[in-house]
């Protein structure tokens, strides 16, 4: 396997699992670490937002032992940040310290210490990806409006009145901050009848805001999205299997093992030629292209075997719990290519079909899925409607 594709331009993938404005499916910092390493392993450039990198306590614990607060956590993501394997998307013309200070003034939740923001600036400034705050804010607002308008189409009674009140508030904000919308929701709830209908409508408003927030930054940056586990994979009825391999080593999908893998071994993994080819071929597929299927199968076979051997080598004499997982795991990984019967688009998947429900295996789905253009998106700064139609990839499900 040669590294012939390593010279090609990198593809950015936005880590939605670090999204602070969603109900987190993450149980621990180790769980988040496994998810972060998983996506770094299978993408050229993993992006996290500036607010995400600052205001997510579990993420901070993985960067700084001081932020871990005495918990037994591998606080070792610094090499991935300083090398640009993980890049922070920061609003144009601002440092993370400036973002942090502004958030403290607005009383945003989970604002970190100034020293942590300074540390992140030192580590990430050389590889930062900048974005226009006004453009992302406009995309966020447009997305919220679109999703709320969809909710009003078949709504009636207090549900419709609640959503329409939210729309009126959103349209009057310039810019719209997520916290401001949350504060409005709380105020509206306190002043309302408190009926179940109102409570459910406000929950739907909050979900719409969270979904738009999750989409706005990757839309503007032209990035794919590593979506949270709560998103459902495409319906089996609409796809057909193009090829399938069912006897691959499973380690690459083992969240427990990834969560404990030393960063030194991980850095060795991302330099493997087979991994570079795998990432390139998956990237081609994500962009709606036609991957080289034989080369893709060869790459995933070679890299999954290399990873399994690495887990054995690293944990054999150093980690009794990890060794027990390796010794007791008899599952095999499945790799498949599917095709949407309606659009002809290809998708790829990595999963463990025979996994026990108690086992911590990840499940990757890679698809090319357009994000709907928000009404009025054209003409937002340098962003036009064509640029707004960005792909969404899904991944990191629990199998």
């Amino acid at each position: 396997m040669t590294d012939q594709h390593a010279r090609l331009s990198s593809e950015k993938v936005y880590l939605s699992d670090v999204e602070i404005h969603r109900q987190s499916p993450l149980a621990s910092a180790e769980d988040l670490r496994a998810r972060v390493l998983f996506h770094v392993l299978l993408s050229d450039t993993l992006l996290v937002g500036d607010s995400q990198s600052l205001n997510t306590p579990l993420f901070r614990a993985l960067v700084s032992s001081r932020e871990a607060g005495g918990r037994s956590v591998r606080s070792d993501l610094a090499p991935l940040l300083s090398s640009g394997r993980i890049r922070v998307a920061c609003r144009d013309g601002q440092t993370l310290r400036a973002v942090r200070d502004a958030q403290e003034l607005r009383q945003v939740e989970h604002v970190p210490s100034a020293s942590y923001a300074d540390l992140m600036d030192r580590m990430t400034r050389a590889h930062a990806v900048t974005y226009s705050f006004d453009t992302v804010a406009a995309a966020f607002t447009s997305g919220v409006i679109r999703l709320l308008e969809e909710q009003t189409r078949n709504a009636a009674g207090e549900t419709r009145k609640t959503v329409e009140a939210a729309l009126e508030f959103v349209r009057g904000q310039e810019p719209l901050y997520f916290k401001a919308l949350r504060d409005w929701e709380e105020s509206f709830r306190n002043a309302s009848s408190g009926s179940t209908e109102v409570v459910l409508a406000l929950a739907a408003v909050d979900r719409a805001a969270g979904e738009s927030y999750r989409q706005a930054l990757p839309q503007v940056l032209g990035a794919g999205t590593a979506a949270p586990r709560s998103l459902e994979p495409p319906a089996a009825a609409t796809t057909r299997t193009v090829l399938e391999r069912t006897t691959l080593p499973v380690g690459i999908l083992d969240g427990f093992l990834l969560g404990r893998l030393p960063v030194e071994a991980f850095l060795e993994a991302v330099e493997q030629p087979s991994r570079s080819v795998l990432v390139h071929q998956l990237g081609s597929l994500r962009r709606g292209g036609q991957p080289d299927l034989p080369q893709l199968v060869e790459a995933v076979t070679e890299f999954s075997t290399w990873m399994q051997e690495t887990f054995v080598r690293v944990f054999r004499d150093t980690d009794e719990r990890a060794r027990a997982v390796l010794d007791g795991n008899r599952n095999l990984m499945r790799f498949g290519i599917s095709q949407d019967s309606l659009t002809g688009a290809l998708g790829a998947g990595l999963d463990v079909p025979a996994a026990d429900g108690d086992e911590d295996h990840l499940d990757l789905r890679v698809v090319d899925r357009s994000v709907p253009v928000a009404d009025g998106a054209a003409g937002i700064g340098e962003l036009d409607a064509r640029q707004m139609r960005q792909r969404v990839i899904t991944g990191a499900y629990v199998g």
Side-chain angles (χ1 to χ4, degrees):
M1 179 66 63
T2 62
D3 196 8
Q4 59 184 302
H5 297 297
R7 303 182 303 274
L8 299 179
S9 60
S10 65
E11 178 189 35
K12 298 184 291 291
V13 172
Y14 174 71
L15 181 65
S16 186
D17 275 5
V18 185
E19 183 49 65
I20 58 176
H21 296 311
R22 295 182 62 91
Q23 261 196 331
S24 175
L26 301 171
S28 65
E30 196 167 70
D31 187 12
L32 176 58
R33 184 176 183 274
R35 222 153 296 284
V36 168
L37 297 188
F38 181 70
H39 287 304
V40 172
L41 208 57
L42 297 175
S43 64
D44 285 310
T45 298
L46 189 67
L47 294 178
V48 296
D50 42 16
S51 292
Q52 294 170 311
S53 71
L54 294 172
N55 302 339
T56 309
L58 290 181
F59 185 81
R60 297 202 304 260
L62 297 176
V63 175
S64 166
S65 57
R66 177 178 296 180
E67 295 291 328
R71 288 175 292 177
S72 179
V73 174
R74 287 185 179 272
S75 303
D76 61 357
L77 292 191
L80 301 180
L81 289 159
S82 59
S83 66
R85 293 287 181 183
I86 302 173
R87 302 175 72 178
V88 176
C90 191
R91 53 207 76 185
D92 196 14
Q94 293 199 39
T95 62
L96 291 174
R97 171 65 182 272
V99 172
R100 177 257 174 217
D101 291 348
Q103 290 177 336
E104 185 176 49
L105 290 175
R106 298 202 319 275
Q107 298 183 325
V108 173
E109 290 184 317
H110 305 304
V111 172
S113 66
S115 61
Y116 174 81
D118 289 339
L119 171 67
M120 286 293 291
D121 270 324
R122 291 194 298 272
M123 286 193 297
T124 65
R125 187 178 296 121
H127 300 287
V129 175
T130 59
Y131 67 88
S132 163
F133 175 79
D134 291 341
T135 305
V136 172
F140 170 53
T141 302
S142 295
V144 174
I145 290 173
R146 173 179 58 80
L147 292 171
L148 293 182
E149 286 178 341
E150 289 177 0
Q151 291 182 23
T152 64
R153 288 173 189 165
N154 299 312
E158 286 191 283
T159 297
R160 186 179 185 90
K161 289 179 181 178
T162 301
V163 177
E164 286 180 340
L167 271 168
E168 182 179 1
F169 173 80
V170 169
R171 288 173 175 145
Q173 298 296 300
E174 184 60 42
L176 173 67
Y177 286 103
F178 195 98
K179 185 180 186 301
L181 183 52
R182 276 275 176 85
D183 290 344
W184 176 88
E185 291 170 16
E186 184 65 24
S187 176
F188 189 91
R189 182 182 294 106
N190 292 337
S192 73
S193 65
S195 69
T196 300
E197 200 173 353
V198 169
V199 171
L200 292 177
L202 287 173
V205 169
D206 196 61
R207 286 194 300 272
E211 183 62 17
S212 181
Y213 191 97
R214 186 178 70 83
Q215 292 180 4
L217 184 58
Q219 284 177 344
V220 169
L221 293 176
T225 303
R229 293 178 282 178
S230 58
L231 292 186
E232 293 298 325
T238 65
T239 62
R240 71 177 185 88
T241 301
V242 176
L243 66 83
E244 188 174 72
R245 296 291 183 272
T246 59
T247 58
L248 300 175
V250 73
I252 194 174
L253 296 184
D254 195 304
F256 180 84
L257 296 179
L258 278 174
R260 299 171 77 88
L261 186 67
V263 72
E264 296 81 10
F266 183 80
L267 291 171
E268 184 182 356
V270 295
E271 295 297 334
Q272 294 305 303
S274 57
R275 178 260 178 191
S276 297
V277 175
L278 173 60
V279 167
H280 169 74
Q281 294 295 337
L282 290 177
S284 175
L285 189 149
R286 279 194 288 261
R287 293 187 294 271
Q290 179 67 45
D292 184 323
L293 296 185
Q295 192 171 72
L296 178 53
V297 171
E298 181 186 358
V300 73
T301 301
E302 183 174 323
F303 185 59
S304 61
T305 299
W306 188 91
M307 283 294 295
Q308 190 75 12
E309 292 171 350
T310 297
F311 285 130
V312 172
R313 170 173 54 85
V314 170
F315 295 134
R316 181 177 50 220
D317 301 320
T318 62
D319 191 322
E320 184 177 347
R321 289 182 64 194
R323 186 171 67 251
V325 169
L326 280 167
D327 292 343
N329 196 338
R330 296 294 180 265
N331 292 302
L332 294 172
M333 180 175 72
R334 173 173 59 188
F335 172 70
I337 296 290
S338 61
Q339 185 172 42
D340 190 302
S341 57
L342 300 177
T343 66
L346 294 177
L350 291 169
D351 65 3
V352 186
D356 187 289
D358 294 331
E359 294 176 336
D360 188 18
H361 286 116
L362 301 172
D363 178 359
L364 180 71
R365 295 285 182 269
V366 177
V367 296
D368 178 15
R369 181 185 299 163
S370 295
V371 175
V373 179
D375 292 341
I380 299 175
E382 70 235 23
L383 193 67
D384 61 26
R386 176 184 57 80
Q387 290 171 311
M388 286 289 286
R389 295 196 67 85
Q390 298 298 343
R391 64 197 176 279
V392 178
I393 65 167
T394 62
Y397 295 92
V398 166

